[in-house]
Amino acid sequence: QKEVEQNSGPLSVPEGAIASLNCTYSDRGSQSFFWYRQYSGKSPELIMSIYSNGDKEDGRFTAQLNKASQYVSLLIRDSQPSDSATYLCAVNPGKTSYDKVIFGPGTSLSVIP
Amino acid sequence: DVKVTQSSRYLVKRTGEKVFLECVQDMDHENMFWYRQDPGLGLRLIYFSYDVKMKEKGDIPEGYSVSREKKERFSLILESASTNQTSMYLCASSSRNNYGYTFGSGTRLTVV
């Protein structure tokens, strides 16, 4: 059974701090990794994708991938109250765009003003 | 602004009714997906399609069917709605070359 695991949280950080969200996956052959943000009552929104080992930065967001450890993380710098949401880690275990993506259960983040 | 549009935001249907959920995307994406999201169960894949008239079962296809007659439209059909199909239904699309999903705004279906 292919799995994606995340700490459910809630993770609370003060405004301006770095929020660190972690995700592990079971399928060593996985190729593509994604982070989605989901506000309460809304649909998920893609915020980061990463395909190779290392760091990928986009504004205040940094995704980190370590395929050897089967670990992907999302760092949010200078956290803002508007970052309060559930963050879903998603892994495409295959080589095609329509392979069944596996979503983690999500980590709830609360940024305290 | 690219979009995935779901026809209804909220829907209330009676047990036994046939229910149609419509999804339209304007991004010329090849792949389209239907998920349901329930508290504690996360996102679960119902059906997906990687081309017109093609459909594949996801993890929980029982009680559902789909139709994709045009590239931009992917419909989810609940053949005979039951109360355990009360859920948030999310449509998503992706291109063949970019694996990230764009989600629609969702349809919250209540079956009474």
Side-chain angles (χ1 to χ4, degrees), chain A residues 55-76:
Chain A
D55 294 0
K56 179 181 178 182
E57 188 174 316
D58 184 0
R60 295 186 296 112
F61 298 98
T62 299
Q64 300 175 317
L65 175 61
N66 184 326
K67 288 186 178 180
S69 300
Q70 295 174 238
Y71 177 93
V72 59
S73 65
L74 179 70
L75 301 178
I76 306 174

Side-chain angles (χ1 to χ4, degrees), chain B residues 3-20:
Chain B
K3 273 189 177 177
V4 177
T5 302
Q6 294 185 232
S7 53
S8 304
R9 187 74 179 94
Y10 298 96
L11 211 51
V12 180
K13 295 293 182 181
R14 296 195 180 276
T15 302
E17 277 193 78
K18 191 169 187 176
V19 181
F20 293 85

Side-chain angles (χ1 to χ4, degrees), chain A residues 85-100:
Chain A
T86 296
Y87 289 80
L88 303 172
C89 174
V91 176
N92 184 331
K95 294 180 171 58
T96 70
S97 59
Y98 53 86
D99 278 302
K100 292 182 188 178

Side-chain angles (χ1 to χ4, degrees), chain B residues 12-61:
Chain B
V12 180
K13 295 293 182 181
R14 296 195 180 276
T15 302
E17 277 193 78
K18 191 169 187 176
V19 181
F20 293 85
L21 302 182
E22 304 287 342
C23 176
V24 178
Q25 51 95 3
D26 64 2
M27 296 167 284
D28 201 34
H29 281 173
E30 291 82 7
N31 308 318
M32 296 188 75
F33 309 85
W34 275 106
Y35 285 86
R36 62 178 285 180
Q37 187 174 34
D38 302 286
L41 296 176
L43 281 161
R44 293 182 290 169
L45 180 64
I46 304 171
Y47 267 97
F48 67 99
S49 169
Y50 55 88
D51 203 348
V52 177
K53 296 192 185 294
M54 304 302 293
K55 58 186 178 183
E56 296 286 341
K57 293 180 180 179
D59 299 317
I60 52 164

Side-chain angles (χ1 to χ4, degrees), chain A residues 31-32 34 36 38 41-46 49 51 88 92 94-101 103-105, chain B residues 9 31 33 35 37 43 45 48 50 57-59 88 90 94-101 103-106 108:
Chain A
Q31 302 287 324
S32 314
F34 309 91
Y36 291 84
Q38 186 173 24
K42 303 293 186 183
S43 60
E45 174 192 10
L46 179 67
S49 56
Y51 302 98
L88 303 172
N92 184 331
K95 294 180 171 58
T96 70
S97 59
Y98 53 86
D99 278 302
K100 292 182 188 178
V101 167
F103 283 86
Chain B
R9 187 74 179 94
N31 308 318
F33 309 85
Y35 285 86
Q37 187 174 34
L43 281 161
L45 180 64
F48 67 99
Y50 55 88
K57 293 180 180 179
D59 299 317
M88 170 68 89
L90 292 163
S94 70
S95 74
R96 193 160 288 153
N97 300 316
N98 184 339
Y99 296 11
Y101 290 1
F103 281 90
S105 56
R108 186 164 293 280

